[in-house]
């Protein structure tokens, strides 16, 4: 009877050792998968951050180019407006001089008649 109990205990102990070995193997497998996932996640995070930095730099460059274009257009419009106002002033002065000249001629004509 003692022999049978010892054999049963040995079988039970062997089963527990086998279970521990299976659990250790499963744990190692899970840890390896976790390490691979962590490495993959870190790589994707780095790639994402690099992509975001590249897009940010691109957006900054486009914003700077847009602002420069707006300044150029504003300067161009202001120059055109100044030239337009100068032309209007010049034409107004010429018109007023012509009107004054015509008035002088008409007055001289009236005085002569």
């Amino acid at each position: 009877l003692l022999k049978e109990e010892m054999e049963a205990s040995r079988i039970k102990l062997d089963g527990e050792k086998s279970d521990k070995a299976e659990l250790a193997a499963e744990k190692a497998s899970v840890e390896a998968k976790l390490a691979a996932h962590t490495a993959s996640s870190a790589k994707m995070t780095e790639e994402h951050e690099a992509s975001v930095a590249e897009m940010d730099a691109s957006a900054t460059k486009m914003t700077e180019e847009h602002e420069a274009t707006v300044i150029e257009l504003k300067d161009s419009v202001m120059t055109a407006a100044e030239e337009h106002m100068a032309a209007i002033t010049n034409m107004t002065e010429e018109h007023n001089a012509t009107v004054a000249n015509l008035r002088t001629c008409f007055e001289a004509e009236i005085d002569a008649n």
Side-chain angles (χ1 to χ4, degrees):
L1 182 66
L2 185 59
K3 219 176 187 182
E4 288 176 11
E5 287 180 10
M6 285 180 61
E7 182 64 23
S9 289
R10 187 189 60 75
I11 291 171
K12 183 179 176 187
L13 187 59
D14 285 347
E16 288 174 0
K17 286 181 183 176
S18 176
D19 288 347
K20 279 187 178 180
E22 287 177 18
L23 287 174
E26 188 175 334
K27 180 181 176 189
S29 173
V30 168
E31 287 175 344
K33 288 177 184 175
L34 177 62
H37 176 74
T38 301
S40 174
S41 178
K43 181 181 177 190
M44 287 190 296
T45 299
E46 288 174 7
E47 290 171 350
H48 173 73
E49 289 173 351
S51 177
V52 167
E54 186 178 311
M55 287 188 288
D56 186 48
S58 177
T60 299
K61 181 181 176 191
M62 287 190 292
T63 299
E64 290 169 355
E65 290 172 352
H66 173 74
E67 289 172 352
T69 301
V70 167
I71 290 169
E72 285 178 25
L73 289 173
K74 179 184 171 197
D75 290 347
S76 176
V77 167
M78 291 303 292
T79 299
E82 289 168 0
E83 290 172 355
H84 181 71
M85 290 304 295
I88 289 173
T89 299
N90 188 37
M91 287 188 292
T92 301
E93 289 172 357
E94 289 175 359
H95 171 76
N96 289 342
T98 300
V99 168
N101 189 26
L102 288 173
R103 179 172 288 136
T104 302
C105 289
F106 288 141
E107 287 172 355
E109 180 100 13
I110 290 171
D111 289 345
N113 289 329

